[in-house]
Amino acid sequence: MKIGIVCYPTFGGSGVLATELGKALAEKGHMVHFITYQQPVRLSGFFTNIFYHEVRVPHYPLFDYPPYETTLASTMVDVVLNNDLDLLHVHYAIPHASAAYMAKQILKKKGKDIPVITTLHGTDITLVGKDKTFEPVVTFSINESDAITAVSNNLRKETYHSFHIEKEIEVIHNFVDVQRFDKKPLDAFRKVLAPNGERIIAHASNFRKVKRVNDIIRIFANITKAVPSKLLMVGDGPDRPGAEELCRELGICDDVRFLGKQQEMEEILAISDLFMLTSEYESFGLSALEAMAAGVPVLSSNAGGIPEINIHGETGYMANIGDINELSRLGIELLKSDEQLNYCKQKAKEQAAKFDIHHIVPLYEELYERFVHVSAAS
Ligand code: GMT
């Protein structure tokens, strides 16, 4: 099949998932065309059947707000026609689903009927999408998609709750390439970060309000008093300065490293003993699944779709959003016991294997085949 993938090219979960999906589809022989404003961060190297089409918004003095959505729709039309694409798969509703609707209508006039599949990822529904400045367009463009998928049962429920959706939303859970995260720890790296054999705790996110990164810092401050540990904060975003300030206030700067955006997450996870995710909402929590694939148990809030992957007492532990005391207690209990930690590491790996890329990508292919009546890899 010839598939167009529209996504955000950044470190965010939706862009990562879309890029990994495109790479996996290409490996299976499909032609994959990424359409976005920048080379996706997880798309490096040369692939014979992956193409990247940059959306360029022209500068014009009148544009206080450059019309990205218009340019995106025009680029979709161009790429579909010039490459004879079979379908468009757009990730994250805003503005990708509405741009795809526009492209579909233009293509119809030109005699080409292109199926559009929209995958909902989370904040496009729960945070941004339901705001009334977006809601009518989001509702309309979701309903106009030929198929809609959500990355968790929780997100499917939230979407029906917040929007008037007339169609079936299918759940296709996020996935992870288990093999990629099955890395041997680099002892030298571990020694530099935790020279006295401290436990290593990791967190990765875009440091937005929804992630509650200050909870991570406070929980860590409690844990390290009981079990000497180091904290690795991966990623960047608006709440990072506040988190750094909190470390200074709590006097734990020597034990916390802010690593910024990192490409090689698997190397960091390979030396980690625990992954923390204390968000007030996660449709899924792809970063937690990647941690589990690396055999790292997860200490998390029980928000949104997280309980669909983190199993309390098995793959890690969960507590209510903002319950710093309980999360600290659970973290200490886990990190104190080698036996419990090893048990959870094993369970985390087993759980991640259920979401392995090889199980989930065929579900997307089956979905595509419902709309594209061609033999595979045409
Ligand atoms: O977590 C973010 O803020 C990034 C966001 C995105 O759209 O890139 O992530 C969302 O999509 C991920 C991939 O499907 C999910 O794993 C995240 O849980 C989801 N984030 C939220 O729901 C807050």
Side-chain angles (χ1 to χ4, degrees):
M1 274 181 263
K2 294 180 207 141
I3 302 154
I5 293 186
V6 180
C7 64
Y8 283 104
T10 53
F11 280 95
S14 64
V16 166
L17 197 281
T19 311
E20 296 296 346
L21 173 62
K23 281 161 43 183
L25 289 165
E27 235 168 67
K28 296 182 94 174
H30 301 288
M31 305 294 255
V32 177
H33 294 256
F34 285 98
I35 305 169
T36 181
Y37 59 84
Q38 208 175 275
Q39 175 98 4
V41 288
R42 286 263 180 115
L43 188 66
S44 51
F46 174 71
F47 306 86
T48 47
N49 46 348
I50 294 185
F51 304 86
Y52 162 59
H53 307 270
E54 192 154 303
V55 180
R56 289 199 185 87
V57 187
H59 290 287
Y60 185 68
L62 185 66
F63 296 157
D64 279 342
Y65 302 97
Y68 178 67
E69 191 169 339
T70 307
T71 319
L72 174 61
S74 298
T75 310
M76 283 191 216
V77 170
D78 183 67
V79 174
V80 169
L81 287 178
N82 286 314
N83 300 280
D84 195 21
L85 296 195
D86 295 312
L87 70 84
L88 284 170
H89 186 176
V90 304
H91 291 259
Y92 206 92
I94 307 168
H96 302 151
S98 45
Y101 170 76
M102 175 66 94
K104 187 179 168 88
Q105 298 315 308
I106 297 168
L107 287 161
K108 206 177 267 175
K109 287 265 183 211
K110 292 179 185 286
K112 171 102 183 168
D113 188 13
I114 187 93
V116 171
I117 293 171
T118 299
T119 291
L120 309 172
H121 278 273
T123 45
D124 45 352
I125 296 302
T126 55
L127 265 183
V128 198
K130 68 183 179 195
D131 187 285
K132 70 174 192 291
T133 50
F134 289 113
E135 184 279 324
V137 175
V138 173
T139 304
F140 177 81
S141 47
I142 291 177
N143 277 321
E144 289 296 322
S145 302
D146 293 283
I148 311 153
T149 74
V151 299
S152 66
N153 295 314
N154 174 271
L155 183 60
R156 175 180 187 272
K157 198 178 91 199
E158 288 291 328
T159 309
Y160 280 127
H161 178 76
S162 302
F163 300 86
H164 184 70
I165 302 299
E166 297 147 359
K167 283 195 171 147
E168 178 57 22
I169 300 174
E170 301 174 46
V171 174
I172 300 184
H173 280 110
N174 280 336
F175 58 80
V176 64
D177 181 354
V178 165
Q179 212 187 341
R180 175 181 166 190
F181 286 89
D182 187 19
K183 281 249 160 189
K184 283 224 167 342
L186 291 173
D187 286 340
F189 186 25
R190 200 184 163 104
K191 271 229 153 62
V192 169
L193 293 168
N196 301 309
E198 295 91 341
R199 297 286 198 201
I200 296 182
I201 302 174
H203 167 76
S205 75
N206 53 21
F207 288 60
R208 294 193 185 274
K209 188 170 163 277
V210 69
K211 305 291 173 180
R212 297 182 68 100
V213 284
N214 280 358
D215 286 6
I216 303 274
I217 304 293
R218 289 187 192 283
I219 295 163
F220 172 75
N222 291 337
I223 290 179
T224 194
K225 276 186 213 148
V227 184
S229 304
K230 298 286 181 183
L231 175 64
L232 307 179
M233 297 288 278
V234 182
D236 214 332
D239 286 358
R240 175 172 165 176
E244 291 191 61
E245 179 60 33
L246 184 59
C247 289
R248 287 190 281 273
E249 269 171 40
L250 296 171
I252 53 169
C253 292
D254 288 347
D255 296 321
V256 183
R257 279 208 188 201
F258 288 84
L259 300 176
K261 293 175 181 167
Q262 294 286 331
Q263 287 279 2
E264 311 291 324
M265 198 55 206
E266 58 273 31
E267 305 289 357
I268 294 166
L269 290 169
I271 57 156
S272 300
D273 298 297
L274 182 66
F275 185 82
M276 271 206 263
L277 189 67
T278 55
S279 312
E280 64 189 44
Y281 183 76
E282 283 298 334
S283 64
F284 184 90
L286 188 59
S287 57
L289 182 65
E290 291 188 340
M292 287 184 199
V296 182
V298 172
L299 180 66
S300 71
S301 66
N302 53 11
I306 299 178
E308 290 175 48
I309 50 169
N310 194 14
I311 314 293
H312 186 71
E314 297 281 312
T315 62
Y317 287 99
M318 282 186 299
N320 290 335
I321 302 160
D323 193 343
I324 290 170
N325 288 341
E326 181 62 358
L327 284 163
S328 306
R329 188 188 71 74
L330 291 165
I332 291 166
E333 189 182 301
L334 179 59
L335 291 174
K336 259 192 173 165
S337 156
D338 280 340
E339 197 188 334
Q340 183 61 10
L341 195 55
N342 287 335
Y343 175 80
C344 288
K345 282 183 176 186
Q346 184 55 34
K347 288 288 168 188
K349 275 200 151 190
E350 286 169 22
Q351 174 74 341
K354 295 182 193 156
F355 296 88
D356 185 46
I357 193 165
H358 300 298
H359 301 316
I360 308 289
V361 171
L363 303 180
Y364 280 114
E365 285 180 292
E366 280 164 30
L367 176 61
Y368 298 164
E369 278 160 18
R370 272 194 252 148
F371 298 94
V372 182
H373 306 288
V374 288
S375 56
S378 72

